[in-house]
Amino acid sequence: QVRLVESGGGLVQAGGSLRLSCTASGRAFSNYAMGWFRQAAGKEREFVAALNWIGSSIIYADAVKGRFTMSRDNAKNTVYLQMNSLKPEDTAVYYCAAEYSVRSYAPRSEKDYDYWGQGTQVTVSS
């Protein structure tokens, strides 16, 4: 079992930055691919970013490419999502997810993930 806890959400003005963190409990964190998803009010959850178990493959949704950066620190069992140039349309609950996988690619589909965090709210004001 893996427990994921997100933090770092909050209220920020458009153009600002936030860094989300997701810390995992349990062993073998380095063998997990990790992803970030988000869900805006009244909308379905959508993919934001993901990286594979060793961080050699990182992918982003087109809507965030060039503004968001995902990284991992296996020594701290933590992944990060640095969000710059935030827009009101980035407002959502952001979820961290984990998949036990040593595949070479980063998973994009929700169905690939085994564990989910509780989410952290990000609100971007205009």
Side-chain angles (χ1 to χ4, degrees), residues 39-75:
Q39 187 169 22
K43 296 186 178 181
E44 294 187 352
R45 190 158 55 186
E46 64 177 5
F47 169 78
V48 175
L51 47 67
N52 68 344
W53 65 291
I54 57 172
S56 62
S57 173
I58 308 176
I59 57 174
Y60 298 93
D62 289 343
V64 307
K65 201 171 295 183
R67 300 186 297 121
F68 291 11
T69 302
M70 185 175 182
S71 60
R72 69 187 300 158
D73 184 341
N74 287 343

Short mmCIF file of all heavy atoms in Angstrom, two decimals, residues 39-75:
data_model
loop_
_atom_site.label_atom_id
_atom_site.label_comp_id
_atom_site.label_asym_id
_atom_site.label_seq_id
_atom_site.Cartn_x
_atom_site.Cartn_y
_atom_site.Cartn_z
N GLN A 39 -9.00 18.37 -11.41
CA GLN A 39 -10.42 18.36 -11.68
C GLN A 39 -11.02 19.70 -11.30
O GLN A 39 -11.01 20.07 -10.12
CB GLN A 39 -11.12 17.23 -10.92
CG GLN A 39 -12.59 17.07 -11.29
CD GLN A 39 -13.19 15.80 -10.74
OE1 GLN A 39 -12.70 15.21 -9.77
NE2 GLN A 39 -14.26 15.33 -11.36
N ALA A 40 -11.50 20.42 -12.29
CA ALA A 40 -12.18 21.68 -12.06
C ALA A 40 -13.64 21.41 -11.73
O ALA A 40 -14.19 20.35 -12.08
CB ALA A 40 -12.07 22.57 -13.30
N ALA A 41 -14.26 22.37 -11.09
CA ALA A 41 -15.67 22.21 -10.69
C ALA A 41 -16.53 21.94 -11.91
O ALA A 41 -16.46 22.67 -12.91
CB ALA A 41 -16.15 23.45 -9.95
N GLY A 42 -17.32 20.90 -11.84
CA GLY A 42 -18.23 20.57 -12.92
C GLY A 42 -17.60 19.90 -14.12
O GLY A 42 -18.28 19.68 -15.13
N LYS A 43 -16.32 19.57 -14.02
CA LYS A 43 -15.63 18.95 -15.15
C LYS A 43 -15.02 17.62 -14.73
O LYS A 43 -14.88 17.32 -13.55
CB LYS A 43 -14.53 19.88 -15.69
CG LYS A 43 -15.06 21.17 -16.27
CD LYS A 43 -13.95 21.97 -16.91
CE LYS A 43 -14.47 23.24 -17.56
NZ LYS A 43 -13.38 24.02 -18.21
N GLU A 44 -14.66 16.83 -15.74
CA GLU A 44 -14.02 15.56 -15.46
C GLU A 44 -12.55 15.78 -15.08
O GLU A 44 -11.94 16.78 -15.47
CB GLU A 44 -14.12 14.64 -16.68
CG GLU A 44 -15.55 14.22 -17.01
CD GLU A 44 -15.60 13.18 -18.12
OE1 GLU A 44 -14.54 12.90 -18.72
OE2 GLU A 44 -16.69 12.66 -18.37
N ARG A 45 -12.02 14.82 -14.37
CA ARG A 45 -10.61 14.88 -14.03
C ARG A 45 -9.78 14.73 -15.30
O ARG A 45 -10.10 13.91 -16.17
CB ARG A 45 -10.27 13.79 -13.02
CG ARG A 45 -8.90 13.92 -12.42
CD ARG A 45 -8.80 13.20 -11.08
NE ARG A 45 -9.17 11.81 -11.14
CZ ARG A 45 -9.28 11.01 -10.08
NH1 ARG A 45 -9.04 11.50 -8.87
NH2 ARG A 45 -9.61 9.75 -10.21
N GLU A 46 -8.68 15.51 -15.36
CA GLU A 46 -7.85 15.48 -16.56
C GLU A 46 -6.37 15.33 -16.20
O GLU A 46 -5.93 15.73 -15.11
CB GLU A 46 -8.04 16.75 -17.39
CG GLU A 46 -7.61 18.03 -16.71
CD GLU A 46 -7.76 19.25 -17.61
OE1 GLU A 46 -8.30 19.14 -18.72
OE2 GLU A 46 -7.33 20.34 -17.17
N PHE A 47 -5.64 14.80 -17.13
CA PHE A 47 -4.21 14.60 -16.98
C PHE A 47 -3.48 15.94 -17.00
O PHE A 47 -3.81 16.84 -17.78
CB PHE A 47 -3.71 13.71 -18.11
CG PHE A 47 -2.22 13.63 -18.23
CD1 PHE A 47 -1.49 12.84 -17.35
CD2 PHE A 47 -1.55 14.35 -19.19
CE1 PHE A 47 -0.12 12.76 -17.46
CE2 PHE A 47 -0.18 14.28 -19.31
CZ PHE A 47 0.54 13.49 -18.44
N VAL A 48 -2.46 16.06 -16.15
CA VAL A 48 -1.62 17.26 -16.13
C VAL A 48 -0.17 16.92 -16.50
O VAL A 48 0.40 17.51 -17.42
CB VAL A 48 -1.66 17.93 -14.75
CG1 VAL A 48 -0.69 19.11 -14.70
CG2 VAL A 48 -3.07 18.38 -14.40
N ALA A 49 0.42 15.98 -15.76
CA ALA A 49 1.82 15.64 -16.00
C ALA A 49 2.11 14.28 -15.39
O ALA A 49 1.40 13.84 -14.48
CB ALA A 49 2.75 16.68 -15.39
N ALA A 50 3.16 13.63 -15.89
CA ALA A 50 3.56 12.34 -15.33
C ALA A 50 5.04 12.10 -15.61
O ALA A 50 5.59 12.64 -16.58
CB ALA A 50 2.73 11.20 -15.92
N LEU A 51 5.64 11.31 -14.75
CA LEU A 51 7.00 10.88 -15.03
C LEU A 51 7.15 9.42 -14.66
O LEU A 51 6.44 8.90 -13.80
CB LEU A 51 8.04 11.74 -14.32
CG LEU A 51 7.94 12.11 -12.86
CD1 LEU A 51 8.11 10.93 -11.95
CD2 LEU A 51 9.00 13.16 -12.53
N ASN A 52 8.08 8.74 -15.33
CA ASN A 52 8.27 7.32 -15.06
C ASN A 52 9.12 7.12 -13.81
O ASN A 52 9.53 8.09 -13.16
CB ASN A 52 8.85 6.60 -16.28
CG ASN A 52 10.29 7.02 -16.58
OD1 ASN A 52 10.76 8.04 -16.09
ND2 ASN A 52 10.95 6.22 -17.38
N TRP A 53 9.40 5.89 -13.50
CA TRP A 53 9.99 5.56 -12.20
C TRP A 53 11.37 6.16 -11.99
O TRP A 53 11.75 6.48 -10.86
CB TRP A 53 10.05 4.04 -12.03
CG TRP A 53 10.95 3.35 -13.00
CD1 TRP A 53 10.76 3.21 -14.35
CD2 TRP A 53 12.19 2.69 -12.70
NE1 TRP A 53 11.79 2.52 -14.91
CE2 TRP A 53 12.67 2.17 -13.93
CE3 TRP A 53 12.91 2.48 -11.53
CZ2 TRP A 53 13.87 1.47 -14.00
CZ3 TRP A 53 14.10 1.78 -11.61
CH2 TRP A 53 14.57 1.28 -12.85
N ILE A 54 12.15 6.38 -13.06
CA ILE A 54 13.47 6.95 -12.88
C ILE A 54 13.54 8.39 -13.37
O ILE A 54 14.59 9.01 -13.33
CB ILE A 54 14.54 6.12 -13.62
CG1 ILE A 54 14.23 6.00 -15.11
CG2 ILE A 54 14.69 4.76 -12.96
CD1 ILE A 54 15.33 5.35 -15.91
N GLY A 55 12.41 8.93 -13.81
CA GLY A 55 12.38 10.32 -14.23
C GLY A 55 12.96 10.57 -15.60
O GLY A 55 13.21 11.72 -15.96
N SER A 56 13.17 9.50 -16.38
CA SER A 56 13.74 9.67 -17.71
C SER A 56 12.69 10.03 -18.74
O SER A 56 13.02 10.49 -19.84
CB SER A 56 14.45 8.39 -18.14
OG SER A 56 13.54 7.31 -18.21
N SER A 57 11.45 9.81 -18.42
CA SER A 57 10.33 10.17 -19.31
C SER A 57 9.37 11.05 -18.54
O SER A 57 8.84 10.65 -17.52
CB SER A 57 9.62 8.90 -19.79
OG SER A 57 8.44 9.24 -20.53
N ILE A 58 9.18 12.26 -19.02
CA ILE A 58 8.26 13.22 -18.39
C ILE A 58 7.35 13.75 -19.50
O ILE A 58 7.85 14.20 -20.53
CB ILE A 58 9.00 14.38 -17.71
CG1 ILE A 58 10.07 13.86 -16.77
CG2 ILE A 58 8.01 15.26 -16.96
CD1 ILE A 58 10.92 14.95 -16.13
N ILE A 59 6.07 13.72 -19.25
CA ILE A 59 5.11 14.21 -20.25
C ILE A 59 4.16 15.21 -19.60
O ILE A 59 3.93 15.17 -18.39
CB ILE A 59 4.31 13.05 -20.89
CG1 ILE A 59 3.58 12.23 -19.84
CG2 ILE A 59 5.23 12.17 -21.72
CD1 ILE A 59 2.67 11.18 -20.42
N TYR A 60 3.63 16.11 -20.43
CA TYR A 60 2.75 17.15 -19.95
C TYR A 60 1.53 17.27 -20.86
O TYR A 60 1.61 17.03 -22.07
CB TYR A 60 3.47 18.50 -19.94
CG TYR A 60 4.67 18.55 -19.02
CD1 TYR A 60 5.95 18.28 -19.50
CD2 TYR A 60 4.53 18.86 -17.67
CE1 TYR A 60 7.05 18.31 -18.67
CE2 TYR A 60 5.63 18.90 -16.83
CZ TYR A 60 6.89 18.63 -17.33
OH TYR A 60 7.97 18.66 -16.50
N ALA A 61 0.44 17.71 -20.28
CA ALA A 61 -0.71 18.07 -21.08
C ALA A 61 -0.37 19.33 -21.87
O ALA A 61 0.40 20.18 -21.40
CB ALA A 61 -1.92 18.32 -20.19
N ASP A 62 -0.94 19.46 -23.05
CA ASP A 62 -0.66 20.63 -23.87
C ASP A 62 -1.00 21.93 -23.15
O ASP A 62 -0.32 22.94 -23.32
CB ASP A 62 -1.47 20.55 -25.18
CG ASP A 62 -0.93 19.48 -26.12
OD1 ASP A 62 0.22 19.03 -25.92
OD2 ASP A 62 -1.66 19.11 -27.06
N ALA A 63 -2.03 21.90 -22.32
CA ALA A 63 -2.49 23.12 -21.65
C ALA A 63 -1.48 23.67 -20.65
O ALA A 63 -1.55 24.85 -20.28
CB ALA A 63 -3.82 22.85 -20.95
N VAL A 64 -0.56 22.82 -20.19
CA VAL A 64 0.40 23.26 -19.17
C VAL A 64 1.84 23.24 -19.65
O VAL A 64 2.74 23.69 -18.94
CB VAL A 64 0.27 22.42 -17.89
CG1 VAL A 64 -1.17 22.40 -17.41
CG2 VAL A 64 0.79 21.00 -18.09
N LYS A 65 2.06 22.72 -20.85
CA LYS A 65 3.41 22.58 -21.36
C LYS A 65 4.09 23.94 -21.43
O LYS A 65 3.51 24.92 -21.91
CB LYS A 65 3.36 21.93 -22.75
CG LYS A 65 4.63 21.26 -23.19
CD LYS A 65 4.41 20.46 -24.47
CE LYS A 65 3.47 19.30 -24.27
NZ LYS A 65 3.30 18.47 -25.49
N GLY A 66 5.32 23.99 -20.92
CA GLY A 66 6.06 25.24 -20.91
C GLY A 66 5.83 26.09 -19.68
O GLY A 66 6.57 27.04 -19.43
N ARG A 67 4.81 25.76 -18.91
CA ARG A 67 4.51 26.51 -17.68
C ARG A 67 4.70 25.66 -16.43
O ARG A 67 5.08 26.18 -15.38
CB ARG A 67 3.07 27.04 -17.71
CG ARG A 67 2.77 27.96 -18.87
CD ARG A 67 1.37 28.56 -18.74
NE ARG A 67 0.31 27.56 -18.79
CZ ARG A 67 -0.58 27.36 -17.81
NH1 ARG A 67 -0.53 28.10 -16.71
NH2 ARG A 67 -1.52 26.44 -17.94
N PHE A 68 4.43 24.38 -16.52
CA PHE A 68 4.53 23.48 -15.38
C PHE A 68 5.75 22.57 -15.56
O PHE A 68 6.08 22.16 -16.66
CB PHE A 68 3.29 22.60 -15.26
CG PHE A 68 2.02 23.31 -14.86
CD1 PHE A 68 1.94 24.69 -14.82
CD2 PHE A 68 0.90 22.57 -14.50
CE1 PHE A 68 0.77 25.33 -14.44
CE2 PHE A 68 -0.28 23.19 -14.12
CZ PHE A 68 -0.33 24.57 -14.10
N THR A 69 6.37 22.24 -14.42
CA THR A 69 7.50 21.31 -14.43
C THR A 69 7.32 20.29 -13.33
O THR A 69 7.13 20.66 -12.16
CB THR A 69 8.82 22.06 -14.23
OG1 THR A 69 8.98 23.05 -15.25
CG2 THR A 69 9.99 21.09 -14.29
N MET A 70 7.39 19.03 -13.71
CA MET A 70 7.28 17.95 -12.72
C MET A 70 8.65 17.36 -12.46
O MET A 70 9.46 17.22 -13.37
CB MET A 70 6.34 16.86 -13.24
CG MET A 70 6.07 15.77 -12.23
SD MET A 70 4.86 14.59 -12.84
CE MET A 70 4.72 13.49 -11.43
N SER A 71 8.89 17.02 -11.19
CA SER A 71 10.17 16.42 -10.82
C SER A 71 9.94 15.48 -9.64
O SER A 71 8.88 15.47 -9.04
CB SER A 71 11.19 17.49 -10.46
OG SER A 71 10.74 18.27 -9.35
N ARG A 72 10.96 14.67 -9.35
CA ARG A 72 10.86 13.77 -8.20
C ARG A 72 12.16 13.76 -7.42
O ARG A 72 13.24 13.94 -8.01
CB ARG A 72 10.47 12.36 -8.65
CG ARG A 72 11.52 11.60 -9.42
CD ARG A 72 10.96 10.26 -9.95
NE ARG A 72 10.49 9.40 -8.89
CZ ARG A 72 9.61 8.42 -9.06
NH1 ARG A 72 9.09 8.20 -10.25
NH2 ARG A 72 9.24 7.66 -8.04
N ASP A 73 12.04 13.51 -6.13
CA ASP A 73 13.18 13.35 -5.25
C ASP A 73 12.97 12.04 -4.52
O ASP A 73 12.23 11.99 -3.52
CB ASP A 73 13.28 14.53 -4.29
CG ASP A 73 14.52 14.47 -3.41
OD1 ASP A 73 15.10 13.37 -3.27
OD2 ASP A 73 14.90 15.50 -2.84
N ASN A 74 13.59 10.98 -5.00
CA ASN A 74 13.35 9.66 -4.40
C ASN A 74 13.87 9.57 -2.97
O ASN A 74 13.34 8.79 -2.18
CB ASN A 74 13.99 8.58 -5.26
CG ASN A 74 13.22 8.35 -6.55
OD1 ASN A 74 12.07 8.76 -6.69
ND2 ASN A 74 13.85 7.71 -7.51
N ALA A 75 14.88 10.35 -2.64
CA ALA A 75 15.39 10.33 -1.28
C ALA A 75 14.36 10.85 -0.28
O ALA A 75 14.38 10.49 0.90
CB ALA A 75 16.66 11.14 -1.18
#
